[in-house]
Amino acid sequence: MDVGVVLQTNPPASRVVELARQAETLGFSHVWTFDSHLLWEEPFVIYSQILAATRKIKVGPMVTNPATRDWTVTASLFATLNEMFGNRTICGIGRGDSAVRVLNGRPTTLATLRECVAVVRALANGREAEVNGAKLRFPWGTASRLDVWIAAYGPKALALAGEIGDGFILQLADPDIAAWTIRVVRAAAAKAGRDPASVKFCVAAPAYVGDADPLSLAHQRDQCRWFGGMVGNHVADLVARYGTPSSQAPDVAGSAVPGSGVLGPGGETAVPAALTAYIASRAGYDYNEHGRAGNIHADFVPDEIVDRFCLLGPPEAHIERLRELAGLGVDQFAVYLQHDAKHATLEAYGETVIPAISEAVRARGR
C-alpha cells in the first residue's frame, strides 16, 4: 500500500513545499492538496515548487472539479508540469464542493463530470479530444501521462468511477464503508467490460498519531472532528437525492437490517446507514471553516464517527487499520494532515507505520 499526504495550501506556500519535501524524505508516495481557490492559495502554482524540491513524489488535487477551470486549461496545467518534471502528476476530481459552493454555485452533474474526465485525460495523455466540436491536441504534450481518480460516495458516482476512472477516492477510512464502495466500483467496472482490478483505490482520512490514554484521544478526536462535518456535508446531498433511510435496506454486508440504509429510486441500495445516520442532527455548514480543526459546525459529529472515519492513537492502531484496508483492496491511504501534530504524525508514519505496511524484501533467501 502506498501512503500519501493531503495538505491545504495555506500561506506561506513555502511551508507547504517544505511539508511535501519532508513527506518524500519520510517515504510518502503522493502529495495531494485541496483545490478551492478562494479558501486557499492556488495549488497548481505550488505544485511546480513541490516538484522542483522533490525527486519522486507525485502531486495532484484532492479534488479538482469541472466547474472552476476550463477543461483544456486543467489538462494543460497537468501536461506542462509533466513536461517539466517527468510525469509526476495525478488528478483527483469530483463534481465540486467548496470551490463552487463558496461562489453560490452548485456541483456539476455526473454527465458533465464524465465529459470533463474524457477531455482532461485525453489531452493530458498526449491524445486528441473533441471540445465544442473542435478536435484538439497539445502538440507539445505528446509524452505527458496522467491518471484520473474520481472521488465519490453515492451509487451513481461510484458507478462512474468504475466505468471510467483510473482510480477511485473514498474520503473516509471506515472499513465497512470502504468494502461496500469497492464492491460497487468493481461491479460497475466489470459491467462496463473493464478489468475490475485495473481500478486503483485510495482511502483518504485524517490520521493523528498520539497516545492511547483517554485525555490524548479526546484531543485527537477534537482535532479531527471537522472531517466528519465535511463528509456529512457530502452525505446530506445524497440523502436529499435518495431520501431517508429505508426500514428494510441492505446493510454494507448485504443483509437486511432495519433502518440500515438509503434506497435509490429503483429500490437499490444507495447509501448504507453507516454513512448517513449520524447527520440527522446536522444543522448546517459554514465553508469559512471548511477543513479546519476546531470547526464549530462539526459539533454534531459523535466520537464514534471520528473513530470510524479517521485513524487515531499510537502507531500500532494505524498499522492495524491500514492492514485491514489493504486486505480489502485499498492501494493507497492518504493522510489528511489538518491538525496540530503535523510533523509528529509525518515522522511517526515515516519511521514506524510505512515500514510496517511495506512489503518486506530479504537481502538473503533462506
Side-chain angles (χ1 to χ4, degrees), residues 105-274:
R106 296 174 60 86
T108 64
T109 65
L110 288 175
T112 298
L113 178 58
R114 182 189 293 270
E115 293 175 10
C116 176
V117 168
V119 169
V120 170
R121 181 160 48 200
L123 291 175
N125 281 283
R127 302 194 299 268
E128 182 180 89
E130 185 171 332
V131 182
N132 297 329
K135 294 182 178 179
L136 307 174
R137 190 172 183 178
F138 297 143
W140 47 267
T142 56
S144 174
R145 296 295 180 266
L146 178 74
D147 283 349
V148 181
W149 293 34
I150 296 174
Y153 291 107
K156 293 182 180 180
L158 292 170
L160 182 66
E163 291 167 11
I164 68 171
D166 297 304
F168 156 65
I169 298 170
L170 174 65
Q171 291 168 308
L172 56 84
D174 180 280
D176 289 338
I177 296 173
W180 171 73
T181 58
I182 288 171
R183 285 199 301 272
V184 174
V185 170
R186 284 181 171 162
K191 186 176 181 180
R194 304 180 66 196
D195 177 4
S198 69
V199 184
K200 301 297 183 183
F201 292 90
C202 174
V203 163
Y208 193 123
V209 178
D211 294 334
D213 63 275
L215 187 61
S216 177
L217 285 172
H219 176 74
Q220 294 170 49
R221 291 187 184 107
D222 286 343
Q223 284 288 299
C224 297
R225 200 175 305 277
W226 66 267
F227 183 70
M230 185 186 80
V231 172
N233 202 46
H234 295 297
V235 172
D237 285 344
L238 298 178
V239 171
R241 177 180 295 270
Y242 293 108
T244 55
S246 164
S247 61
Q248 284 291 331
D251 68 2
V252 291
S255 59
V257 177
S260 62
V262 172
L263 289 187
E268 75 281 4
T269 305
V271 189

Side-chain angles (χ1 to χ4, degrees), residues 21-42:
R21 190 195 64 77
Q22 292 176 18
E24 180 181 69
T25 300
L26 291 166
F28 288 76
S29 61
H30 293 70
V31 171
W32 305 84
T33 74
F34 286 47
D35 179 17
S36 193
H37 58 287
L38 286 172
L39 299 179
W40 299 287
E41 293 184 316
E42 171 56 43

